[in-house]
Amino acid sequence: MLPRNLTIICVALVVSAACHLIHRRTKAAMTVGEAMEMIDRFYVDPVDDRDLLKSAMDGMTSKLDQHSQYIPPQDYQSFQDSINQEFAGIGIYVEQPAKDAPVRVITPLVGSPALRAGILPGDEIMRVNEEDVSTMEIRAVSERLRGPIGTTATLLLKRGDEEVTTSVTRDRIEIESVIGDHRDAESRWVYRLRAKPNVAYIRMTSFGDKTVRELEDVLRDLNNDFDALVLDLRGNGGGLLTAAVDVSDMFLTSGRIVSTKTRGGVIEEEAEATSGTLIDPDKPMAILIDHDSASASEIVSAALQDHGRAIIGGTRSFGKGTVQNILPLEYGRSALRLTVAKYYRPSDQNIHRGKDDDEDAVWGVTPDEGLAVDIEVPKLRRLMMLWQEASYPSLKGIDRRAAAAQKELEAPEEPEAQESLEAQADSEAQANSESQPVAQATEKTTIGIEAAVETAGVEIAPTGTVWELDQQLVKVVERMLGEDDSAESRDAEESGTEKNTEKDTTEKNTTEKNIEEKTDQEEEKTDQEAESAEKAA
């Protein structure tokens, strides 16, 4: 009888302990639920339960780091589309200049149903399938343009003083994350610099589900037929941690890529490079970064810099070294984006910039010596316009400064933030499963479509090609090709050569006086020292 009683007692203790823990964990949730119920019953004005829940969740996550957040149902689908790099729709980017103003087309995407249907930049969307959307907010218009592949959306557009009706058949829109320098006559990306065709150029805008496959295809097509490679990660706010590891592995044959550490600094995982690369390890390589290069971009940059595989140019990166998991809530209708770990570069140096870290602290990725280059704001804005026109050819020929001035007149106080229709394709990449880690920055400005309409009154360089404007690109290319000596250094080398010739002549002429020969040698030494000093500078 005693053993049975002892078993019952042990089971009761276990159940009691479990109940105690569950009570402790659910007590706070019960309090929140009770408060919501009281507000619903007694508050003077009616309040939507979803708004209360979102406010409560936002309040909880506000006590965490800036990268942890609640993702409500109305945003979760866009998150999934972004990371999947595809969505079902008509394929346009839009903006809403002012509240209650019509949603306006920025540009249709290359190869999209919208482009084939003749939709143009500047078109205002007035009706969708006979429903008036002229005063709806941008998210509501986006929802109405979404729909199953193969279905039709009939749009009434206002184009200047006329109205245009067009029907667009929805299709699968793929969002490319690996793009080139310019497009050819058939709108295909060319992954070589126009000014230096012997240099391969690949720009990555995010790290999504398809990024690794896209990059593999490009590298295989290039087939090592280039003298140097530039990987441009400027404006790339990150994405999937796994994609960053796989991209790094394409260029490394061995060694650590990144390590992640959880609470208490415990190493959770160390990603190692595998043998074999898609490009010749002897081909020089450079990575371009800027203050908006974050997270997954920093993993790739740091890994290749620490292993000496690539030189780094541009400006210091963002400093976002945390990993987020997307934890579904409400049976997958919403989610919690939660920071679960920090990651460290192969040298074990910290990447994350804490809230109290200054410029002298160790964080982020810093360009190599001599490759830290700033671009003047007018030139940068002109450069961004050229990048946008390469990505979206329909923007060519549009006076966007005039459009910006008009936009400012329409919304002088509180212009709505621009948003990419249906997928927010140039927004931050997000994860779509509980187990998928995301390395992502939330505070960034993408070099992409959101700058398509420039701020009125801001100076923009009137002319210039990409090669003439992009000083950061020029610097790393010249370094890789051995063309980065300054004119002064070349002059010094020529001067040194002349002095050497004078020295040889002097040594052969034995009839010269010793004092003259000594003077020539001293002058030669002085010139050589000056030449060395110029090179070191």
Side-chain angles (χ1 to χ4, degrees):
M1 184 63 70
L2 183 60
R4 173 187 287 182
N5 292 338
L6 185 59
T7 301
I8 294 174
I9 292 173
C10 290
V11 171
L13 288 174
V14 171
V15 172
S16 298
C19 290
H20 178 68
L21 291 175
I22 292 174
H23 175 71
R24 287 181 58 189
R25 292 182 177 182
T26 60
K27 184 178 179 180
M30 292 173 63
T31 302
V32 172
E34 186 178 2
M36 290 179 61
E37 183 180 355
M38 289 182 175
I39 293 172
D40 182 57
R41 290 177 59 190
F42 301 118
Y43 186 64
V44 63
D45 294 320
V47 181
D48 186 84
D49 288 345
R50 295 300 313 184
D51 292 340
L52 289 177
L53 176 61
K54 185 178 184 303
S55 297
M57 297 297 289
D58 289 344
M60 280 192 290
T61 56
S62 68
K63 294 298 182 181
L64 309 177
D65 69 305
Q66 69 270 36
H67 306 301
S68 296
Q69 64 178 142
Y70 169 63
I71 308 172
Q74 62 267 30
D75 294 333
Y76 193 37
Q77 183 61 52
S78 293
F79 279 35
Q80 292 176 310
D81 289 340
S82 181
I83 203 63
N84 291 337
Q85 292 185 243
E86 66 176 39
F87 61 96
I90 65 173
I92 57 176
Y93 286 119
V94 299
E95 64 179 350
Q96 189 165 29
K99 186 177 180 180
D100 297 330
V103 168
R104 183 165 59 193
V105 177
I106 296 177
T107 179
L109 278 66
V110 172
S112 67
L115 185 65
R116 293 192 295 269
I119 295 177
L120 301 177
D123 286 350
E124 295 180 338
I125 302 175
M126 309 302 291
R127 301 181 72 86
V128 178
N129 292 335
E130 302 302 322
E131 182 180 6
D132 186 358
V133 298
S134 59
T135 58
M136 289 186 182
E137 64 173 7
I138 193 169
R139 191 186 304 277
V141 178
S142 171
E143 291 173 353
R144 283 155 178 76
L145 289 173
R146 284 181 176 275
I149 295 173
T151 58
T152 299
T154 301
L155 309 183
L156 176 64
L157 307 172
K158 185 178 180 182
R159 184 176 298 166
D161 294 330
E162 63 175 330
E163 292 186 344
V164 178
T165 300
T166 184
S167 294
V168 190
T169 302
R170 299 181 179 95
D171 201 352
R172 177 180 290 105
I173 310 298
E174 294 194 2
I175 306 302
E176 54 193 5
S177 62
V178 177
I179 61 180
D181 177 64
H182 58 280
R183 293 183 185 271
D184 62 16
E186 298 180 0
S187 290
R188 295 174 302 191
W189 281 112
V190 177
Y191 295 94
R192 296 178 183 276
L193 292 176
R194 192 190 299 271
K196 296 272 186 178
N198 61 321
V199 177
Y201 175 85
I202 301 172
R203 183 149 60 98
M204 299 176 62
T205 59
S206 65
F207 289 81
D209 270 345
K210 301 180 181 180
T211 299
V212 174
R213 186 202 67 195
E214 291 180 66
L215 184 57
E216 286 177 343
D217 291 343
V218 171
L219 293 178
R220 287 196 174 95
D221 287 343
L222 288 170
N223 196 28
N224 285 300
D225 184 22
F226 51 82
D227 295 333
L229 169 67
V230 177
L231 186 64
D232 193 341
L233 300 180
R234 290 174 294 183
N236 186 325
L240 296 178
L241 176 61
T242 51
V245 170
D246 290 341
V247 168
S248 301
D249 196 19
M250 292 183 193
F251 306 102
L252 299 174
T253 57
S254 63
R256 181 187 301 171
I257 294 175
V258 66
S259 60
T260 56
K261 299 180 182 180
T262 57
R263 185 182 301 179
V266 177
I267 295 179
E268 178 185 47
E269 185 179 0
E270 293 180 335
E272 299 285 334
T274 57
S275 60
T277 60
L278 288 178
I279 68 169
D280 185 345
D282 293 329
K283 297 278 187 182
M285 180 178 176
I287 296 178
L288 289 173
I289 58 174
D290 63 9
H291 61 280
D292 293 322
S293 302
S295 192
S297 296
E298 292 173 295
I299 290 175
V300 175
S301 303
L304 271 60
Q305 184 181 50
D306 283 358
H307 287 288
R309 179 59 189 93
I311 59 174
I312 308 296
T315 58
R316 194 176 189 178
S317 64
F318 182 86
K320 194 267 181 183
T322 56
V323 181
Q324 283 71 45
N325 274 3
I326 303 301
L327 309 173
L329 300 171
E330 302 178 278
Y331 303 101
R333 293 180 59 246
S334 61
L336 185 64
R337 182 169 177 246
L338 196 63
T339 298
V340 296
K342 293 183 178 180
Y343 58 79
Y344 294 79
R345 55 194 298 166
S347 61
D348 206 39
Q349 283 190 336
N350 170 61
I351 288 181
H352 192 65
R353 180 179 188 177
K355 60 181 181 179
D356 297 324
D357 288 342
D358 57 21
E359 293 296 325
D360 296 328
V362 177
W363 53 268
V365 179
T366 301
D368 292 348
E369 185 175 356
L371 297 180
V373 180
D374 285 316
I375 301 179
E376 299 171 5
V377 172
K379 290 184 177 180
L380 179 59
R381 291 188 174 277
R382 175 64 181 171
L383 185 60
M384 290 172 66
M385 292 173 69
L386 294 177
W387 281 333
Q388 293 153 12
E389 290 174 359
S391 294
Y392 314 105
S394 60
L395 290 174
K396 291 181 180 179
I398 296 176
D399 187 351
R400 278 174 273 170
R401 281 171 291 189
Q406 179 63 28
K407 178 181 176 181
E408 189 172 82
L409 290 174
E410 294 173 352
E413 295 180 356
E414 298 181 358
E416 293 290 330
Q418 295 183 48
E419 179 177 333
S420 63
L421 188 59
E422 303 145 322
Q424 299 180 335
D426 276 338
S427 68
E428 305 163 72
Q430 306 294 340
N432 63 345
S433 70
E434 181 175 357
S435 60
Q436 179 63 69
V438 180
Q440 179 64 41
T442 59
E443 299 175 8
K444 71 181 186 70
T445 303
T446 303
I447 298 177
I449 195 63
E450 54 266 54
V453 180
E454 304 294 338
T455 302
V458 176
E459 183 182 0
I460 303 173
T463 59
T465 65
V466 170
W467 184 255
E468 292 169 340
L469 297 168
D470 197 345
Q471 300 157 309
Q472 297 170 340
L473 174 64
V474 171
K475 192 69 175 178
V476 297
V477 169
E478 290 182 344
R479 173 71 63 88
M480 288 190 293
L481 300 181
E483 302 172 352
D484 61 339
D485 289 339
S486 65
E488 292 181 356
S489 295
R490 288 193 292 270
D491 291 343
E493 289 177 356
E494 293 173 0
S495 176
T497 301
E498 292 174 359
K499 292 299 181 181
N500 285 336
T501 302
E502 291 175 6
K503 175 185 174 184
D504 292 340
T505 302
T506 302
E507 289 177 343
K508 290 179 181 179
N509 189 354
T510 57
T511 61
E512 290 187 6
K513 295 180 181 180
N514 290 338
I515 185 64
E516 292 175 344
E517 181 177 353
K518 181 177 180 181
T519 302
D520 286 341
Q521 291 173 342
E522 289 176 349
E523 289 176 353
E524 173 198 348
K525 180 178 179 181
T526 301
D527 288 336
Q528 290 175 337
E529 289 176 350
E531 175 191 348
S532 300
E534 286 180 301
K535 285 184 176 180

